[in-house]
Amino acid sequence: MPGGDAREAAKTVTGSLEAFPHLPELPARGPGADMLGRTIGLLAELYAHVEPSGWRLSDRPGRDTRRARSWMGEDLDALEEFTQGFEGPLKVQAVGPWTLATGLELRGGEAVLSDAGACRDLAASLAEGLRGHLAEVRRRVPGAEVVLQLDEPSLTPVLSGRVRSASGYRTYNAVDRVVVEGALREVFAAAGGAPVIVHSCAPEVPFALLRRAGATGISFDFSLLTERDGESIGEAVEGGTALFAGVVPGTDTALSDPALSVMGVRTLWRRLGLSPGSLATSVAVTPSCGLAGASPAYARSALAHCARAARSLADNPE
């Protein structure tokens, strides 16, 4: 979400998305509130600080780690305030192990991705940190059915060996799919049986791998789908995987009629021969990616637009 006011963001999210609110992220506040820093603040027994090149592992928690934890506490306070008496699904999000491994540096400056052992340690630390975080959310919002979202926009480059080294002159080796799947499964287990959504607003989302790893839902930018993705989408729906279709632009633009926003979803359903009746239970309507680059007014409009588009999809699946 845009801006830096945790209470305003929580008020907007809980007011616009009454049936499925989430814990907002406010990266405009700076390092520690950014996507990576926020998750680094959750890690168990691993710490990092900010260098000019980005986040780098440290021996002990410093100012940057403390700032990340402080902002998370502020965000949880605001969420708790605006979810008094709430019962139902509540989403929290963190960076997944492989995007974290591409964005976090070892002490020498290379990405954690370059060291298989460091990747294993990072996944274990993330899993343990998420267990504590989810327990805290459940304590603060007792009626919540917590849903965990893991952001993995770097997952496809990790699998294809397209992540550039610190020098930029070479790329790291592709990580074996079995290894990628194993780390994801370990982190998914931290949810304690709660639903896990994996989000990527990058092209070539590996739907089949994510389903094998145990993802309950997959969130993606609908505009980036290709015909090759059609079969994977069909298999996901038939296998009971929820789809979070990013059809609403994440930055300021004129929004169309809500029914038109989901026209592409209806068209895809017909092309794949899927039952229109399954749209309401299989698809959630979301922004294409985060709303941090939008104006506050547009962010509020986009969330309300998603809710209206979802109702249109459910009421008129044909």
Side-chain angles (χ1 to χ4, degrees):
M1 294 289 286
D5 188 327
R7 291 187 73 258
E8 183 63 30
K11 181 180 179 181
T12 297
V13 165
T14 54
S16 301
L17 305 172
E18 296 178 359
F20 192 12
H22 61 268
L23 175 64
E25 294 181 357
L26 301 172
R29 293 179 296 193
D34 60 299
M35 187 174 79
L36 282 174
R38 187 176 173 86
T39 299
I40 287 166
L42 298 176
L43 295 176
E45 299 183 11
L46 281 180
Y47 315 106
H49 65 279
V50 178
E51 293 278 346
S53 56
W55 284 91
R56 184 172 295 183
L57 287 173
S58 303
D59 293 325
R60 60 185 63 85
R63 178 182 58 187
D64 297 323
T65 298
R66 289 193 295 270
R67 185 190 299 119
R69 292 174 176 174
S70 175
W71 271 327
M72 179 63 81
E74 181 181 315
D75 294 342
L76 288 170
D77 288 344
L79 180 72
E80 183 177 4
E81 177 182 351
F82 287 98
T83 52
Q84 295 295 311
F86 173 78
E87 294 183 353
L90 171 68
K91 182 174 73 69
V92 298
Q93 54 276 346
V95 176
W98 294 107
T99 297
L100 194 57
T102 66
L104 179 58
E105 298 174 357
L106 297 168
R107 290 171 180 82
E110 293 293 343
V112 169
L113 185 66
S114 65
D115 185 319
C119 286
R120 289 192 294 271
D121 291 344
L122 184 61
S125 174
L126 176 60
E128 186 59 31
L130 284 172
R131 287 188 187 94
H133 179 54
L134 297 182
E136 176 69 4
V137 173
R138 292 183 178 111
R139 184 187 69 78
R140 288 172 175 263
V141 192
E145 300 163 11
V146 176
V147 176
L148 173 63
Q149 174 180 307
L150 293 173
D151 294 322
E152 282 284 19
S154 297
L155 185 55
T156 299
V158 166
L159 290 165
S160 58
R162 299 203 303 262
V163 178
R164 292 203 167 275
S165 65
S167 68
Y169 292 119
R170 62 182 181 88
T171 56
Y172 299 118
N173 292 331
V175 181
D176 186 274
R177 286 178 173 264
V178 174
V179 174
V180 169
E181 188 177 325
L184 289 171
R185 191 175 290 113
E186 178 181 6
V187 176
F188 290 178
V196 179
I197 305 162
V198 177
H199 167 71
S200 174
C201 48
E204 302 174 53
V205 176
F207 288 93
L209 183 150
L210 294 173
R211 290 181 58 234
R212 287 196 306 270
T216 312
I218 301 173
S219 173
F220 53 94
D221 182 341
F222 190 83
S223 70
L224 298 179
L225 290 181
T226 66
E227 288 193 13
R228 293 196 306 274
D229 295 314
E231 183 178 349
S232 296
I233 293 285
E235 290 173 352
V237 172
E238 291 172 355
T241 303
L243 301 178
F244 289 71
V247 298
V248 177
T251 52
D252 291 41
T253 188
L255 293 172
S256 63
D257 179 88
L260 292 178
S261 294
V262 289
M263 184 63 70
V265 179
R266 291 192 181 94
T267 300
L268 175 64
W269 234 245
R270 287 195 295 270
R271 181 165 66 81
L272 296 177
L274 297 169
S275 168
S278 67
L279 274 168
T281 55
S282 298
V283 178
V285 178
T286 74
S288 58
C289 206
L291 292 167
S295 67
Y298 178 79
R300 289 191 294 271
S301 297
L303 293 181
H305 189 89
C306 287
R308 291 194 297 271
R311 283 195 291 271
S312 168
L313 201 60
D315 294 343
N316 302 292
E318 300 287 353

